């Protein structure tokens, strides 16, 4: 444990109260306004939420993966757009540096990512490189001690509020696929970067994505994650960051499912039909029980994968199992929650309608469910041969 048990419990209590008292009452407003107020972001900073996974030596809380998951399960009890504000700083936007950065890169970037002074985004996806993420075409051409980056990165979370992009670009045009890709730390105010307008999304209003376009953007070779010696090894960094990211998204799915189950139970106990609360009908109980059993299974998987990662095991396969099961699980739980609410479940005044749309994304980003299946099956076949 990075924190002693009492300190961790106190921190989790503080996060629970913050979610309950500060965030849940704002959910509807954020959904309508598509904006999270600055004072809420300041409160997130004060609580330390931007630096959950950043080592203490660099100003973060240095939580283990298991501790992080327990915190994220609490955060999941409110609209996932709130998590998105600090999600990239804890996950894909900082972990490349934590895992593979040079000491100088860590000292330069991590303390400001930990406080939320700097927002970090992860720029891997491109118009023609989505699930096939190793097919990146953004090119980095050597020019003296620098590289010139050109290409388009698609659907980048928090890009408009970011000061730092981790950009994956092809440094060796003669190599296709994962080899020949390097990870660059690019300051967002560098000349040669433009942003598209924000995309209008199905859910998670308040969280923003847009494209990031690089045109001969000059980046010193010292900004390759791990230094120039890590040339052409960036894709490995991306995959390692995604292992932890996938466990994190799975924990988020568990948190959302818990909230949806609470809302479903409360509604079923209050709503009366045929002279009694609908909670007394066994067909309703079946839906509640399936949701609870699946949520519990996902929670157990997430904690197991997190502990394995903390013990130093290679967790790509367990992380994919968690991402596949937990994100599909919360999709089913959200669907049942709408069904349990009947017509009211389709009405915006009820949180379940919003959650139904919000959780749909979890099955798509950081690798779709099909990509998790591919990773799991490949791993099984590799281990058997
Ligand atoms: C709101 C949002 C935020 C995002 N944030 C980020 C971010 O911060 N950084 C970033 O880099 N990316 C981000 N993404 C991109 C996201 O990771 C990709 O959209 C996702 O990986 C899928 O890629 P794609 O959209 O190109 O779909 P495609 O790859 O075109 O997939 C389309 C369909 O084909 C299936 N498919 C593809 N290949 C296979 C296969 N081999 N076997 C079986 N089925 C397959 C997929 O599962 C899917 O069902 C974000 C996306 C969204 C919508």
């Amino acid at each position: 444990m990075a924190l002693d048990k009492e300190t961790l419990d106190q921190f989790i209590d503080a996060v629970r109260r913050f979610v309950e008292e500060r965030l849940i009452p704002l959910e509807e407003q954020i959904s309508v306004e598509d904006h999270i107020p600055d004072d809420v972001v300041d409160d997130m900073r004060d609580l330390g939420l931007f630096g959950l996974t950043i080592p203490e030596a660099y100003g973060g809380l240095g939580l283990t993966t298991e501790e992080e998951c327990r915190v994220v399960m609490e955060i999941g009890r409110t609209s996932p757009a709130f998590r998105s504000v600090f999600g990239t700083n804890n996950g894909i936007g900082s972990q490349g540096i934590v895992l593979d950065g040079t000491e100088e890169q860590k000292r330069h970037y991590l303390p400001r990512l930990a406080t939320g002074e700097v927002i970090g985004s992860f720029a891997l996806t491109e118009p023609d490189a989505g699930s096939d993420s190793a097919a990146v075409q953004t090119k980095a051409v050597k020019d003296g001690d620098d590289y010139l980056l050109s290409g388009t990165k698609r659907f980048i979370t928090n890009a408009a509020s970011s000061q730092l992009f981790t950009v994956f670009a092809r440094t060796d045009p003669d190599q296709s696929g994962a080899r020949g890709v390097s990870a660059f730390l690019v300051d967002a105010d560098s000349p040669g970067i433009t942003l598209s307008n924000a995309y209008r999304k199905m859910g998670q209003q308040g969280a923003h994505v847009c494209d990031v376009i690089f045109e001969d953007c000059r980046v010193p070779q010292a900004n390759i994650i791990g230094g120039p010696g890590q040339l052409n090894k960036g894709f490995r960094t991306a995959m390692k960051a995604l292992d932890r990211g996938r466990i994190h998204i799975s924990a988020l799915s568990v948190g959302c499912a818990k909230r949806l189950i609470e809302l479903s139970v409360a509604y079923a106990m209050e709503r009366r039909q045929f002279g009694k609360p609908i909670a007394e009908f066994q067909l309703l109980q079946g839906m509640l029980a399936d949701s609870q059993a699946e949520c519990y299974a996902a929670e157990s998987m997430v904690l197991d994968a997190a502990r394995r990662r903390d013990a130093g095991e290679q967790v790509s396969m367990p992380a994919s199992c968690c991402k596949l099961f937990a994100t599909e699980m919360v999709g089913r739980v959200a669907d049942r929650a709408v069904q349990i609410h009947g017509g009211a479940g389709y009405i915006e005044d009820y949180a379940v309608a919003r959650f139904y749309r919000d959780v749909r994304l979890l099955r798509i980003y950081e690798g779709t469910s099909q990509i998790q299946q591919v990773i799991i099956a490949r791993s099984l076949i590799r281990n058997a041969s």
Side-chain angles (χ1 to χ4, degrees), residues 88 92 121-133 153-159 166 168 199 201 203-204 207-210 361 363-374 378:
T88 50
I92 51 182
S121 283
F122 179 87
L124 177 63
T125 304
E126 299 182 357
D128 292 319
S131 296
D132 187 7
S133 53
K153 293 294 178 179
R154 175 132 299 168
F155 301 150
I156 306 306
T157 301
N158 288 339
T166 299
F168 296 86
Y199 285 98
K201 311 193 302 329
Q204 296 205 19
H208 301 127
V209 287
C210 67
L361 177 61
R363 291 147 69 184
I364 296 172
Y365 65 3
E366 301 210 16
T368 63
S369 290
Q370 290 70 40
I371 291 308
Q372 308 312 323
Q373 288 175 312
V374 168
R378 270 199 203 136

Side-chain angles (χ1 to χ4, degrees), residues 28 75 91 261 279 300 309 384:
E28 205 177 327
I75 307 275
I261 293 168
S300 305
R309 185 178 183 281

Side-chain angles (χ1 to χ4, degrees), residues 193-241:
I193 299 180
T194 47
L195 304 182
S196 73
N197 290 333
Y199 285 98
R200 292 175 57 228
K201 311 193 302 329
M202 177 196 286
Q204 296 205 19
Q205 273 65 37
H208 301 127
V209 287
C210 67
D211 291 351
V212 184
I213 300 115
F214 298 89
E215 285 169 294
D216 285 334
C217 173
R218 186 170 290 279
V219 184
Q221 64 176 355
N223 282 27
I224 292 176
I225 291 187
Q230 291 301 303
L231 188 70
N232 297 331
K233 293 182 183 154
F235 197 70
R236 272 210 317 237
T237 300
M239 293 304 110
K240 281 193 281 182

